[in-house]
Amino acid sequence: MVTVISTAQHIARKSHRCDSCMREIEVGTVYRRARCVDGGEAWTWKTHLACQRAGEILWDHDIRGEEDCLINVIDMDHEDRGIVYSADPETFHQVWPGRPAPGHPTSIQ
């Protein structure tokens, strides 16, 4: 079982990869860094704050990822995105910029 031994918010001094959405955490972006251990292995987990929030929203709805952890953004399906949108539209638009809100198709021009 994964144990989080510390968490903190940092300002990126160099580019990182978000472990939840796999997109870039750009220099100057505030992000969350967690130090984790499991079975003798240790690693650092870095996420955009909005990706972290999206996972927490689903956690609050009893939707979990592998090994009872927060679900990653890249693993969220249409229904999960709908739950995130219903709970916090701003987080939805930060995590999925340019994507129409669930139930709101893009207009044809």
Side-chain angles (χ1 to χ4, degrees):
M1 178 173 192
V2 175
T3 301
V4 177
I5 57 175
S6 70
T7 63
Q9 289 186 13
H10 295 273
I11 298 173
R13 291 181 289 173
K14 66 177 189 172
S15 176
H16 298 283
R17 180 83 36 215
C18 175
D19 289 311
S20 184
C21 72
M22 307 312 279
R23 292 189 308 255
E24 179 183 11
I25 298 172
E26 297 177 358
V27 173
T29 302
V30 177
Y31 70 99
R32 180 178 180 264
R33 183 171 70 196
R35 301 214 185 261
C36 307
V37 295
D38 183 18
E41 293 186 36
W43 66 93
T44 302
W45 186 264
K46 299 173 185 129
T47 59
H48 293 106
L49 297 182
C51 294
Q52 177 73 22
R53 175 72 182 124
E56 290 169 351
I57 289 167
L58 294 179
W59 181 272
D60 291 343
H61 285 82
D62 292 324
I63 299 170
R64 309 284 197 263
E66 291 183 27
E67 298 187 26
D68 205 32
C69 294
L70 292 181
I71 189 169
N72 292 322
V73 166
I74 59 170
D75 297 326
M76 292 179 187
D77 61 21
H78 181 73
E79 183 178 323
D80 296 334
R81 292 188 299 267
I83 292 168
V84 171
Y85 180 78
S86 294
D88 189 345
E90 183 178 342
T91 293
F92 175 89
H93 290 295
Q94 289 173 350
V95 174
W96 298 284
R99 182 182 287 253
H104 297 86
T106 57
S107 60
I108 300 173
Q109 299 190 30

